[in-house]
Amino acid sequence: MATVAKILAEKHDQSVHTISPDSTVLDAAQLMAKKKIGGLVVTEGELIVGIVTERDYARKLVPMNRSSSETSVREIMSSPVLYVRPNQTRDECMALVTENRLRHLPVIDDGKLIGLISIGDLVKNTICEQQFIIGQLEHYIRGDLGE
């Protein structure tokens, strides 16, 4: 079973993008668009105070008919933030995202933010592991049949 540490190591871009809670929602949206990501960890110094995602924008800002340039991230961010540790398993993460309807999980090690995994990262890892197992089974079957 894959761990969070393994999933992080396999990511092409291991950057974690953060934003201040006092930044505007427009700043957050522009940063997410520029980086082609769906969420930002909201930090004050090294303290994680929330997470802001495209979903927060769509479900909180737009229905309130508020201006993204006049609304702070603090006003729409999700808080408190559920997080995982590097030694946790993919299945534990899948349970967290499923039960809590999340798309992003910050990774904390020794009190520090070291990464961010998405539901996409978890699904990709699951598919890769299943493809490997299928390949091994196919090889085994072909070997047993003398081909």
Side-chain angles (χ1 to χ4, degrees), residues 107-124:
V107 182
I108 307 294
D109 192 24
D110 289 329
K112 295 195 185 278
L113 176 64
I114 64 162
L116 184 71
I117 58 173
S118 69
I119 191 165
D121 298 326
L122 297 170
V123 169
K124 180 181 177 184

Side-chain angles (χ1 to χ4, degrees), residues 73-97:
V73 167
R74 183 184 313 277
E75 295 176 68
I76 69 160
M77 70 184 189
S78 298
S79 183
V81 178
L82 293 178
Y83 62 89
V84 293
R85 292 192 164 80
N87 63 339
Q88 287 184 258
T89 66
R90 181 189 63 229
D91 285 352
E92 290 173 315
C93 295
M94 287 293 257
L96 269 177
V97 298

Side-chain angles (χ1 to χ4, degrees), residues 115-136:
L116 184 71
I117 58 173
S118 69
I119 191 165
D121 298 326
L122 297 170
V123 169
K124 180 181 177 184
N125 181 269
T126 300
I127 290 169
C128 288
E129 185 174 296
Q130 288 174 347
Q131 287 174 335
F132 175 77
I133 291 168
I134 290 168
Q136 292 295 309

Side-chain angles (χ1 to χ4, degrees), residues 1 10 13-14 20 77 82 88:
M1 174 65 53
E10 292 172 349
D13 182 6
Q14 296 180 15
S20 162
M77 70 184 189
L82 293 178
Q88 287 184 258

